């Protein structure tokens, strides 16, 4: 039985119209421990690559029908992780250079030596495994950060739930006392009708309070569940304003007593991304901002901004009037495990994760800080073609007016 320490062998696509060469290359692939999958032409190879993932591909440059380099280009677009080796005849070095330009892992001149080919295949497979491993670690870190945020969130949720729960329970106590005496009054019908009607009114109003409390608990539970759900990897059209608002709502307990939120939402294009992952990005930034704000009694702000950049890109900022970041720390901010916080408060993964997530959607993140004055994180993301979200006239530049 295979375990993760001994993973399944990778498949290697062997594309060559010459049956004997195909057989030799397949034999060499087998010797490296991988599984060869043969195709005599690009059409067959395309069909195979549409169904299976290949760690590596050996592609003859001169294929009948579609040229090997055109196939390489297509393969790079559908399986960017596949390391392709182009096999080309002697005296055709130009096409080898062209192959490298198109993203080939390496090229090999025919006739090749068995050992040389075996060596190249091994390198290609090794590099593939290392990349897989790196992606796996990155996914694990993102998950770890999500769990850390979740823990933080859970503490906030307990705090939030306690208030409505307290009035649900005290109102229930009151109903426990009120209802039996109401029943007794009704049993003595007629005598105290008006008093009973008044008390019924009080009962109804209490029931409304209880409902309100229960609704609040339900909303809080729903918000947490939405965050706890595995976000998956699907991309969708995302409205940054909604994501930012969701993150602010999540972080409310951390912000409420420290700072006031100032919003400046201008027109910003929709972006193609995974919404829960982007929410994780903004949550990390907003929580960092709240944590940077000292409890010095001064009036502090967390400023969030959305706008369209000069090249049509979506731009966002999360800023604070907190402690700021010493210049010597600026270079390390986005490094994994860089933290100035105590254990339990910080993992040092937040900003690293923000950067990884943003970059996976073609975005960027930068920081600017003045010690003692505050810090601003600026994000950009490519706009989704043609979609743009107009700033709603109803959205006030909220608390800003109060400053
Ligand atoms: N808004 C901010 N203001 C001041 N320092 C910040 C801010 N955001 C991040 N930092 C600094 O960057 C470090 C790394 O942040 P992050 O990656 O989110 O990890 P963590 O918050 O777990 O420490 C923090 O420990 C802190 O020193
Ligand atoms: Mg953090």
């Amino acid at each position: 039985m295979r375990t993760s320490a001994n993973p399944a062998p990778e498949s290697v696509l062997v594309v060559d119209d010459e049956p004997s060469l195909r057989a030799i290359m397949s034999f060499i692939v087998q010797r490296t421990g991988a599984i060869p999958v043969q195709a005599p032409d690009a059409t067959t190879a395309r069909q195979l690559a549409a169904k299976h993932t290949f760690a590596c591909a050996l592609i003859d440059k001169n294929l009948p029908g579609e040229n090997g380099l055109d196939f390489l280009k297509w393969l790079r677009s559908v399986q960017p992780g596949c390391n392709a080796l182009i096999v080309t005849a002697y005296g055709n070095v130009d096409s080898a250079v062209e192959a490298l330009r198109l993203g080939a892992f390496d090229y090999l001149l025919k006739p090749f030596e068995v050992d040389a080919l075996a060596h190249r295949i091994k390198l290609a497979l090794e590099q593939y495994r290392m990349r897989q491993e790196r992606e796996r670690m990155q996914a694990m870190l993102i998950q770890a950060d999500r769990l850390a945020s979740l823990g933080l969130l859970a503490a906030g949720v307990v705090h939030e739930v306690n208030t409505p729960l307290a009035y649900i329970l005290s109102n229930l106590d009151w109903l426990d006392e009120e209802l039996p005496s109401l029943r007794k009054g009704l049993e003595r019908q007629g005598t105290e009708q008006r008093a009973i009607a008044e008390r019924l009114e009080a009962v109804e109003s209490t029931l409304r309070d209880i409902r309100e409390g229960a609704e609040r608990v339900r909303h809080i539970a729903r918000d947490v569940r939405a965050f706890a759900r595995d976000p998956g990897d699907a991309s969708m059209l995302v409205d940054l304003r909604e994501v930012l608002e969701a993150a602010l709502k999540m972080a409310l307990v951390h912000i409420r007593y420290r700072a006031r939120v100032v919003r400046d939402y201008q027109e910003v294009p929709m972006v193609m991304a995974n919404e829960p992952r982007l929410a994780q990005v903004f949550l990390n930034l907003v929580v960092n901002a709240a944590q940077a704000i000292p409890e010095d009694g001064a009036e502090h702000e967390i400023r969030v901004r959305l706008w369209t950049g000069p090249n049509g890109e979506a731009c966002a900022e999360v800023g604070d009037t907190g402690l700021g970041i010493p210049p010597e720390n600026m270079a390390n901010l986005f490094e994994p495990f860089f933290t100035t916080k105590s254990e339990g408060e910080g993992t040092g993964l937040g900003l690293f994760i923000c950067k990884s997530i943003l970059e996976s959607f073609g975005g960027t993140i930068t920081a600017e800080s003045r010690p003692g004055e505050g810090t601003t994180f600026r994000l950009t993301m490519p706009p989704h073609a043609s979609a743009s979200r107009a700033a709603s006239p109803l959205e006030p530049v909220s608390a800003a007016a109060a400053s």
Side-chain angles (χ1 to χ4, degrees):
M1 206 178 99
R2 291 186 179 279
T3 64
S4 57
N6 189 14
E10 290 86 4
S11 300
V12 174
L13 183 61
V14 180
V15 198
D16 201 310
D17 56 326
E18 185 74 45
S20 57
L21 271 181
R22 227 165 45 228
I24 293 172
M25 290 198 278
S26 296
F27 172 73
I28 298 170
V29 167
Q30 243 159 0
R31 269 191 22 183
T32 67
I35 299 171
V37 178
Q38 302 189 21
D41 51 48
T43 310
T44 315
R46 273 179 189 248
Q47 284 163 357
L48 288 167
K51 277 197 229 121
H52 306 286
T53 304
F54 293 102
C56 171
L58 305 179
I59 305 166
D60 179 17
K61 200 224 134 212
N62 295 310
L63 289 171
E66 186 177 1
N67 175 297
L69 293 186
D70 289 334
F71 173 69
L72 165 70
K73 220 154 112 185
W74 175 83
L75 185 66
R76 296 283 307 154
S77 69
V78 293
Q79 292 197 25
C82 175
N83 286 335
L85 292 162
I86 293 289
V87 186
T88 181
Y90 252 130
N92 208 346
V93 176
D94 283 355
S95 61
V97 172
E98 172 69 357
L100 293 180
R101 201 184 58 78
L102 290 174
F105 177 75
D106 206 349
Y107 66 91
L108 207 69
L109 298 179
K110 276 198 247 187
F112 48 76
E113 299 212 340
V114 171
D115 286 345
L117 180 58
H119 181 66
R120 304 275 171 89
I121 296 173
K122 271 189 202 145
L123 285 181
L125 289 173
E126 239 161 61
Q127 205 230 33
Y128 175 82
R129 284 180 205 128
M130 268 159 55
R131 193 167 340 104
Q132 295 279 98
E133 183 60 14
R134 199 175 55 219
E135 280 167 14
R136 207 176 59 83
M137 294 299 289
Q138 199 123 341
M140 270 170 57
L141 286 181
I142 292 184
Q143 177 67 1
D145 175 66
R146 216 165 61 83
L147 290 178
S149 313
L150 209 57
L152 208 65
L153 200 64
V157 166
V158 170
H159 178 92
E160 281 290 281
V161 161
N162 273 337
T163 314
L165 211 54
Y167 69 78
I168 290 174
L169 291 172
S170 72
N171 281 331
L172 283 173
D173 285 346
W174 182 79
L175 281 176
D176 267 350
E177 287 169 17
E178 192 67 358
L179 288 176
S181 74
L182 208 55
R183 187 162 30 75
K184 279 200 199 103
L186 278 173
E187 280 161 5
R188 279 184 268 126
Q189 246 187 27
T191 50
E192 297 171 16
Q193 277 185 2
R194 190 183 303 151
I196 290 172
E198 269 168 20
R199 285 160 74 184
L200 267 179
E201 216 167 88
V203 170
E204 278 166 5
S205 137
T206 304
L207 282 173
R208 275 196 297 275
D209 280 357
I210 293 177
R211 171 168 301 281
E212 198 177 294
E215 290 285 348
R216 261 182 71 182
V217 174
R218 187 167 68 181
H219 281 142
I220 293 164
R222 195 193 49 200
D223 286 351
V224 175
R225 208 174 42 230
F227 188 83
R229 222 174 27 217
D230 180 1
D233 291 319
S235 283
M236 52 205 97
L237 264 188
V238 179
D239 181 343
L240 287 180
R241 190 155 78 160
E242 276 170 22
V243 185
L244 197 40
E245 278 303 307
L248 285 168
K249 203 163 139 200
M250 290 283 173
L252 191 65
V253 269
H254 300 286
I255 304 172
R256 199 158 44 197
Y257 303 111
R258 293 175 184 243
R260 119 196 119 86
V261 178
V262 179
R263 296 170 172 82
D264 177 5
Y265 292 160
Q266 294 167 29
E267 194 167 314
V268 68
M270 302 278 270
V271 297
M272 213 41 188
N274 178 286
E275 189 164 344
R277 293 244 184 269
L278 274 193
Q280 191 177 355
V281 169
F282 284 114
L283 183 66
N284 283 347
L285 294 178
V286 170
V287 169
N288 275 349
Q291 288 176 330
I293 287 171
E295 292 185 56
D296 56 4
E299 290 226 334
H300 283 287
E301 286 177 357
I302 290 178
R303 300 176 185 140
V304 291
R305 218 152 78 75
L306 289 174
W307 75 100
T308 307
N311 301 312
E313 69 275 29
C315 299
E317 253 178 28
V318 177
D320 63 69
T321 57
L323 296 167
I325 302 169
E328 64 270 23
N329 287 353
M330 291 300 284
N332 303 320
L333 288 186
F334 299 99
E335 295 291 321
F337 306 112
F338 173 78
T339 183
T340 55
K341 296 170 192 170
S342 58
E343 210 172 301
E345 245 216 325
T347 58
L349 285 176
L351 290 175
F352 169 70
I353 300 291
C354 288
K355 194 165 147 73
S356 314
I357 293 176
L358 282 167
E359 285 177 355
S360 74
F361 298 119
T364 63
I365 178 168
T366 53
E368 225 181 82
S369 187
R370 282 171 205 270
E373 288 181 34
T375 305
T376 300
F377 285 88
R378 180 173 297 175
L379 288 59
T380 69
M381 287 192 75
H384 176 257
S386 81
S388 138
R389 192 204 199 288
S392 154
L394 291 177
E395 190 67 38
V397 181
S398 108
S403 60

